[in-house]
């Protein structure tokens, strides 16, 4: 069972207390800063042309305005998320129409076809969402997955290494001297 994902240093500081040392927090903050591009994320043409996705993009842009952790690297995931919101609403409307159609359809066989359509639409939407979430995590396309990739502790100082570690490092071809 995996542990909880790490919180960004900005959030830890806002909470006021942490079990991490100052040195660990400074290291994590430095590593997090190295992940920022300084470029703002932009709306894709597909999102801009879709009224529901566009509305969601504007909402997120407003929410992310003061969070420096979200930037141009997150552009694709934000646009994908907005399109997924639109797809979700579209599928929900489609399913609602199909449920209304059940009352109009006569015969058990025709009703089963409508229920089958409802099932397929719901399943497809869930598959798309699951696939995107897995892909985004694997490719570090969302802030949480990038923070999880940062080592929790700063690199160890060589003075804390045992003589055996130094020997093995020299034997492997690395420099043992510091």
């Amino acid at each position: 069972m995996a542990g909880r994902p790490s919180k960004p240093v900005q959030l830890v500081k806002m909470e006021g207390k942490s079990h991490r040392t100052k040195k660990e927090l400074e290291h994590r903050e430095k590593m997090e800063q190295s992940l920022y591009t300084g470029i703002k994320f932009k709306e894709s043409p597909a999102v801009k042309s879709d009224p529901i996705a566009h509305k969601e993009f504007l909402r997120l842009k407003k929410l992310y305005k003061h969070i420096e952790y979200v930037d141009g690297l997150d552009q694709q995931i934000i646009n994908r998320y907005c399109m997924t919101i639109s797809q979700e609403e579209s599928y929900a409307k489609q399913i609602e129409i199909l449920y209304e159609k059940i009352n109009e359809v006569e015969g058990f066989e025709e009703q089963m076809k409508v229920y089958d359509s409802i099932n397929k639409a719901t399943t497809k939407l869930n598959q798309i969402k699951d696939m995107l979430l897995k892909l985004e995590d694997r490719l570090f396309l969302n802030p949480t997955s990038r923070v999880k990739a940062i080592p929790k502790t700063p690199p160890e100082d060589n003075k804390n290494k045992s003589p055996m570690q130094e020997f093995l490092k020299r034997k492997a071809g690395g420099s043992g001297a510091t």
Side-chain angles (χ1 to χ4, degrees):
M1 190 165 156
R4 288 184 297 192
S6 299
K7 295 177 185 176
V9 173
Q10 184 180 8
L11 181 60
V12 172
K13 286 181 177 179
M14 286 173 52
E15 290 175 344
K17 55 182 170 177
S18 171
H19 66 281
R20 305 260 177 242
T21 66
K22 285 183 181 181
K23 187 176 180 179
E24 288 173 332
L25 288 173
E26 286 171 6
H27 171 72
R28 284 185 54 81
E29 188 169 25
K30 181 181 172 186
M31 295 305 291
E32 285 178 16
Q33 289 296 326
S34 72
L35 296 173
Y36 301 141
T37 64
I39 299 169
K40 294 185 179 187
F41 62 90
K42 296 178 182 167
E43 188 174 21
S44 71
V47 170
K48 197 172 232 173
S49 67
D50 184 316
I52 296 165
H54 177 67
K55 182 179 176 184
E56 181 66 12
F57 183 88
L58 294 176
R59 185 184 78 83
L60 291 175
K61 189 174 182 178
K62 183 179 178 183
L63 290 173
Y64 288 143
K65 188 176 186 178
H66 301 290
I67 300 175
E68 64 183 52
Y69 193 68
V70 180
D71 68 4
L73 287 174
D74 306 305
Q75 183 170 310
Q76 293 296 345
I77 190 172
I78 291 168
N79 281 292
R80 249 187 248 128
Y81 176 78
C82 293
M83 291 303 291
T84 302
I85 292 292
S86 180
Q87 283 180 337
E88 181 182 45
E89 191 167 318
S90 175
Y91 274 99
K93 285 179 185 176
Q94 180 183 0
I95 292 167
E96 189 177 309
I97 291 167
L98 288 169
Y99 273 119
E100 290 172 5
K101 189 176 180 181
I102 289 173
N103 297 330
E104 299 168 8
V105 173
E106 293 184 22
F108 179 75
E109 203 170 291
E110 290 298 315
Q111 285 182 342
M112 289 309 294
K113 286 181 182 177
V114 175
Y115 278 120
D116 188 47
S117 295
I118 292 170
N119 185 38
K120 286 180 181 176
T122 304
T123 301
K124 184 66 176 169
L125 179 60
N126 288 335
Q127 288 173 344
I128 290 169
K129 286 181 181 181
D130 289 344
M131 179 185 63
L132 288 173
L133 286 173
K134 289 175 185 175
L135 181 63
E136 289 156 357
D137 279 343
R138 288 181 186 149
L139 298 175
F140 303 109
L141 295 175
N142 65 48
T144 305
S145 65
R146 286 196 303 274
V147 169
K148 284 193 286 188
I150 297 171
K152 289 184 170 60
T153 57
E156 292 182 22
D157 294 333
N158 285 337
K159 63 183 174 185
N160 295 336
K161 289 187 179 177
S162 70
M164 186 61 160
Q165 286 175 315
E166 291 293 326
F167 171 75
L168 291 172
K169 186 175 179 181
R170 283 192 304 271
K171 188 164 176 91
S175 171
T178 54

